[in-house]
Amino acid sequence: MKHKFSIFLLALASIFISCNDREKETNTNQEQTETKENSSVKVDEFADIKILRYEIPGWGNLDLKEQKLVYYLTQAGLAGRDIIWAQNYKHNLKIRKALENVYANYEGDKNSEDWKAFKTYLKRIWFSNGIHHHYSNNKIKPDFDKEYLETLLSETNTELSGEPLEVIFNDKDAKKVNLDEAEGLLSGSATNFYGADVTAAEVEEFYANKKSPNPEKPLSFGLNSKLVKENGQLKEQVYKVDGLYGDAISEIIKWLEKAEAVAENEKQANALGLLIEYYKTGDLEVWDDYNVAWVEATEGNIDYINGFIEVYNDPLGYRGSYENIVQIKDFDMSQKMKVLEDNVQWFEDNAPIMDEHKKEEVVGVTYKTVIVAGEAGDASPSTPIGVNLPNANWIRQEHGSKSVSLGNIINAYSKAGGSEKLKEFSHDEEEIELSEQYGEQADKLHTALHEVVGHASGKINQGVGQTKETLKSYASTMEEGRADLVGLYYLMDPKLEELGLTDDHTKLGKAAYNDYIRNGMLGQLTRIEMGEDIEEAHMRNRMWVSSWVIEKGKEDGVIEKVKKDGKTYYDIKDYEKLRELFGELLRETQRIKSEGDYEAAKNLVENYGVKVDQEIHKEVLERNAVFKSAPYSGFVNPELVTETDESGEITTIKVTQPESFEGQMLEYSKKYNFLKEDAGAE
């Protein structure tokens, strides 16, 4: 889990990360309304997006064989780039290829406002891997009209007509992922995981009738396929060499085979071999075998994430989005955080959850800070900064998991700076001071606790199904909220001071609690349009956690909602009591997961995490309007350039930086163009 795993620190301050959070904005001095951003990090800015670059420190310390492994793994990831476009929406590839042809061949007036709007629109869909916003899931609206686009198409001899043209401008397929059951989880979602005539009820019945060979090790049914109807019968179109997206998968395999040949050790090579077999066959038992082998391959300097993994883009939580992240160990930072890994059982044993929901033995959790060397698919250009995998509960329980923090990505965010909002939304000077002194440390520890302890903790009761079956569309937000609550509960525990992770657990916890409540109730509202409900899973969990503790602590005055000079603030009065409330909510959230209590999950999320106070939302948007920096950030990838000898053998691999965002996107489309325009479309 990311945190696309959830990933995913928001624009108010350095608050925390969850598995699928996509952007991080640093908490910097806020005397000005806009800081000067480091030009060596910032590549571009358009609409609501900043494009940054990241470095690969320590590249020169790898030997040539290790560098080759990294190169082959990044090429494997990029080879599947078109898959995420096809998964996100059935017309994405056709639209992208048409607009790129216009961009490359138009010779008319490039100083007009319409052309500038066209460029911005193209950059926005590059960033989102499709025509729907990467975070809100709303369809991106162009600031030019249909007639102008038709002129561009005509003047560049570009073909785009019918629904793929009309959908850019009309209200059809308005949301990529819709989680409002009243709108229809599938009929209201544009994501391309199901046939147009497939219903949510049919999907649930279809998978309810599938049985795993070993019920104790349930397969991830639906993870690597599209479910369609053929002659009125449901059928899976499996992602594999001779199946759906086969042309791109063949290219992925080609590079994975090269990587297998230069693997650092036998366990790593074995895992890569199983991943190759999985891509060839689409066999979900092989996928589980691969994940077990991958978790247990902990030696070596290089690691990677590759496959159809996170299910956030499926409103029903079955189907995985394609992604790739290639990683190099950051030995210094990983050693510092190993203390949590070594003490994970203590945290499990002392958690405020029911004893019957605790794991007797937390197995094989590893936590590392890594250096990213390349990303693709659902991890790029918008990237997580923390990941915890695999997602299968039984593998995590029996074999453990890997948690990573993407150190150089976080560092690039820090160098980029951003808009200064802490003072605007903080209640008083003490709150500001705590965040400035302990906010960054609290972020890192919350990330580690969320990933290492949170996602590894707790167990599902015997005979209870997986959360995608029991909690359904609420599974993702419940899991991310549960992991958040584990972190929040322990951030004010003296154990952190005892372990040498902070010099003052009380101030650390206060800073973390201030930042979390401020962001959950105010800060994240800058990311949705006026009048909208909250739909993104991580935004929902921040809201339902914050709203629940505010309501439950109201009688005791734990958190006060304050109006000052016409502005709303949240002032925490009793931090110890708030910690108790976080513990109570964690206990209930774990119970819901362990028992598969769908109605309780639905009530918690719908009552506390969806609806927005419109008066406060309007106020927040007005207060935020003075800050100019784009609220979302993403990255271009460093480019690995090879030099070869006369026989074609690689002799050197150099790291360079792309000159521009559009240059890299066009180069990717040219070099990794392995799917037809209508791939995956019905």
Side-chain angles (χ1 to χ4, degrees):
M1 299 162 208
K2 292 183 191 173
H3 280 182
K4 65 249 209 12
F5 0 297
S6 255
I7 348 138
F8 336 110
L9 307 172
L10 299 177
L12 269 186
S14 54
I15 298 163
F16 76 105
I17 174 165
S18 66
C19 294
N20 202 32
D21 273 340
R22 288 298 200 174
E23 291 79 28
K24 169 185 176 288
E25 294 290 349
T26 56
N27 170 29
T28 51
N29 190 306
Q30 305 212 336
E31 292 295 332
Q32 305 173 41
T33 59
E34 187 173 1
T35 59
K36 293 181 179 180
E37 303 196 60
N38 190 324
S39 60
S40 67
V41 174
K42 182 178 170 183
V43 177
D44 199 354
E45 184 166 346
F46 50 88
D48 55 355
I49 293 162
K50 288 196 298 286
I51 301 295
L52 311 174
R53 62 169 53 95
Y54 62 90
E55 306 291 338
I56 311 179
W59 176 257
N61 295 330
L62 301 178
D63 62 32
L64 181 58
K65 183 182 177 184
E66 291 171 324
Q67 290 181 353
K68 285 182 180 180
L69 177 58
V70 172
Y71 175 70
Y72 295 147
L73 289 170
T74 58
Q75 293 301 301
L78 290 167
R81 173 179 181 254
D82 277 357
I83 295 175
I84 190 62
W85 284 78
Q87 288 181 314
N88 281 344
Y89 182 54
K90 61 185 177 181
H91 296 312
N92 272 339
L93 286 173
K94 186 180 288 290
I95 292 170
R96 189 194 81 197
K97 292 179 181 185
L99 298 188
E100 287 176 342
N101 192 64
V102 168
Y103 185 88
N105 295 290
Y106 180 62
E107 296 180 351
D109 182 3
K110 295 185 177 181
N111 293 315
S112 71
E113 292 303 313
D114 278 338
W115 177 253
K116 293 176 184 177
F118 171 82
K119 284 180 61 178
T120 296
Y121 179 70
L122 179 54
K123 289 180 181 181
R124 294 184 74 187
I125 67 172
W126 275 330
F127 187 84
S128 295
N129 295 315
I131 65 170
H132 296 87
H133 194 278
H134 74 288
Y135 204 88
S136 73
N137 288 308
N138 293 328
K139 189 163 64 176
I140 301 168
K141 299 176 181 178
D143 290 327
F144 54 86
D145 58 29
K146 179 184 172 186
E147 289 70 27
Y148 179 70
L149 180 55
E150 289 176 326
T151 299
L152 295 179
L153 295 169
S154 175
E155 293 186 13
T156 56
N157 295 314
T158 304
E159 172 60 31
L160 186 67
S161 59
E163 186 174 75
L165 173 61
E166 299 295 333
V167 78
I168 295 174
F169 301 98
N170 63 25
D171 294 329
K172 183 178 173 59
D173 298 330
K175 204 167 198 67
K176 183 175 74 173
V177 183
N178 165 60
L179 295 177
D180 184 351
E181 292 183 342
E183 299 292 329
L185 294 178
L186 294 189
S187 60
S189 298
T191 189
N192 189 27
F193 288 127
Y194 300 94
D197 53 352
V198 176
T199 68
E202 288 173 328
V203 175
E204 291 176 7
E205 182 180 3
F206 181 81
Y207 288 112
N209 291 327
K210 283 186 170 291
K211 304 300 179 185
S212 298
N214 183 350
E216 300 297 316
K217 299 179 179 181
L219 299 178
S220 300
F221 289 123
L223 190 72
N224 67 329
S225 66
K226 179 177 179 179
L227 190 63
V228 300
K229 280 184 180 178
E230 292 185 4
N231 300 319
Q233 299 297 311
L234 289 173
K235 179 182 178 181
E236 289 182 316
Q237 296 178 341
V238 179
Y239 312 149
K240 57 180 181 174
V241 165
D242 58 350
L244 189 57
Y245 308 138
D247 290 342
I249 289 172
S250 294
E251 288 292 324
I252 295 171
I253 290 172
K254 179 183 79 175
W255 291 104
L256 288 178
E257 288 175 339
K258 290 178 179 289
E260 183 185 16
V262 294
E264 296 177 275
N265 52 64
E266 185 178 349
K267 285 189 174 182
Q268 191 181 70
N270 179 50
L272 285 166
L274 286 167
L275 180 58
I276 292 166
E277 183 183 352
Y278 167 66
Y279 272 127
K280 289 179 177 178
T281 64
D283 187 329
L284 290 172
E285 288 188 72
V286 176
W287 173 247
D288 282 349
D289 291 341
Y290 159 70
N291 275 281
V292 171
W294 176 78
V295 164
E296 295 180 348
T298 57
E299 301 299 320
N301 296 332
I302 314 301
D303 208 347
Y304 62 94
I305 294 164
N306 184 289
F308 306 103
I309 300 173
E310 302 291 357
V311 298
Y312 300 109
N313 284 327
D314 178 3
L316 300 183
Y318 285 92
R319 330 207 90 78
S321 296
Y322 174 77
E323 70 173 291
N324 182 73
I325 304 175
V326 184
Q327 313 152 7
I328 303 169
K329 281 185 181 177
D330 182 330
F331 297 100
D332 180 58
M333 284 302 300
S334 294
Q335 187 61 36
K336 290 178 180 176
M337 297 311 298
K338 189 175 182 295
V339 64
L340 282 181
E341 180 184 328
D342 293 340
N343 287 275
V344 67
Q345 191 66 52
W346 182 92
F347 289 103
E348 180 77 349
D349 294 342
N350 289 276
I353 62 177
M354 300 179 195
D355 288 341
E356 57 265 35
H357 297 157
K358 294 179 180 179
K359 289 180 179 176
E360 292 79 10
E361 183 179 2
V362 184
V363 179
V365 178
T366 62
Y367 184 88
K368 293 179 175 65
T369 298
V370 300
I371 302 301
V372 172
E375 298 179 310
D378 201 35
S380 179
S382 177
T383 173
I385 59 176
V387 184
N388 180 283
L389 292 173
N391 287 331
N393 279 301
W394 75 265
I395 296 179
R396 300 166 74 87
Q397 186 163 334
E398 292 186 18
H399 300 277
S401 62
K402 289 180 179 178
S403 292
V404 295
S405 176
L406 310 186
N408 56 333
I409 296 294
I410 296 171
N411 185 54
Y413 278 124
S414 298
K415 288 183 178 178
S419 295
E420 315 288 4
K421 303 180 182 181
L422 179 61
K423 286 187 177 179
E424 173 59 39
F425 290 94
S426 294
H427 174 259
D428 52 42
E429 289 299 322
E430 181 184 7
E431 184 176 333
I432 295 168
E433 184 177 343
L434 281 167
S435 189
E436 289 176 341
Q437 289 182 352
Y438 286 91
E440 183 176 355
Q441 185 183 77
D443 294 339
K444 292 178 179 178
L445 286 174
H446 195 189
T447 301
L449 288 164
H450 176 112
E451 302 289 0
V452 178
V453 183
H455 284 309
S457 71
K459 63 182 180 181
I460 296 175
N461 290 0
Q462 190 87 13
V464 175
Q466 300 302 296
T467 55
K468 68 182 179 184
E469 301 161 347
T470 59
L471 305 186
K472 302 179 183 181
S473 62
Y474 301 106
S476 292
T477 190
M478 289 297 294
E479 175 59 19
E480 296 309 320
R482 190 184 68 85
D484 264 2
L485 284 163
V486 171
L488 289 166
Y489 180 77
Y490 281 119
L491 278 167
M492 195 175 269
D493 197 296
K495 184 70 173 180
L496 298 187
E497 209 168 325
E498 177 188 322
L499 294 173
L501 295 173
T502 182
D503 63 350
D504 192 323
H505 70 278
T506 301
K507 289 183 178 179
L508 178 85
K510 287 182 176 181
Y513 290 5
N514 288 336
D515 288 346
Y516 195 92
I517 297 298
R518 185 192 323 116
N519 182 52
M521 299 304 296
L522 300 173
Q524 67 176 1
L525 300 185
T526 64
R527 293 194 162 198
I528 59 175
E529 295 181 9
M530 189 66 201
E532 288 189 351
D533 290 338
I534 297 176
E535 294 205 41
E536 200 277 330
H538 299 80
M539 292 182 69
R540 281 186 167 190
N541 90 240
R542 289 188 285 265
M543 176 63 84
W544 62 253
V545 168
S546 300
S547 298
W548 189 94
V549 294
I550 288 172
E551 179 183 290
K552 299 304 179 183
K554 190 171 184 179
E555 184 175 338
D556 294 331
V558 178
I559 302 175
E560 288 188 3
K561 179 181 175 183
V562 178
K563 273 283 189 179
K564 186 168 60 175
D565 298 326
K567 298 178 180 181
T568 303
Y569 303 90
Y570 288 88
D571 185 21
I572 301 173
K573 296 294 188 181
D574 190 334
Y575 291 92
E576 290 294 340
K577 181 61 177 177
L578 178 55
R579 186 188 181 216
E580 291 178 16
L581 290 171
F582 284 139
E584 289 177 22
L585 185 54
L586 172 57
R587 182 184 179 92
E588 171 63 6
T589 306
Q590 181 63 57
R591 183 200 65 78
I592 290 170
K593 178 181 178 179
S594 296
E595 298 178 2
D597 190 340
Y598 173 79
E599 288 300 323
K602 179 180 179 180
N603 290 335
L604 180 60
V605 176
E606 294 292 343
N607 291 336
Y608 294 98
V610 176
K611 296 298 180 182
V612 179
D613 184 311
Q614 296 302 303
E615 183 178 339
I616 290 180
H617 192 190
K618 181 174 183 292
E619 175 200 318
V620 167
L621 292 178
E622 289 173 350
R623 292 165 68 180
N624 187 65
V626 300
F627 304 110
K628 305 302 180 185
S629 183
Y632 302 100
S633 297
F635 292 85
V636 289
N637 286 306
E639 296 176 350
L640 303 181
V641 181
T642 62
E643 295 180 1
T644 59
D645 59 20
E646 293 180 356
S647 65
E649 193 68 28
I650 294 175
T651 58
T652 306
I653 304 176
K654 296 180 179 179
V655 178
T656 65
Q657 291 289 346
E659 292 184 3
S660 67
F661 175 59
E662 60 265 36
Q664 183 163 88
M665 294 297 98
L666 291 168
E667 178 66 17
Y668 282 176
S669 292
K670 178 181 178 181
K671 189 174 180 180
Y672 307 105
N673 179 24
F674 298 120
L675 294 183
K676 296 178 180 179
E677 294 178 351
D678 59 352
E682 290 184 300

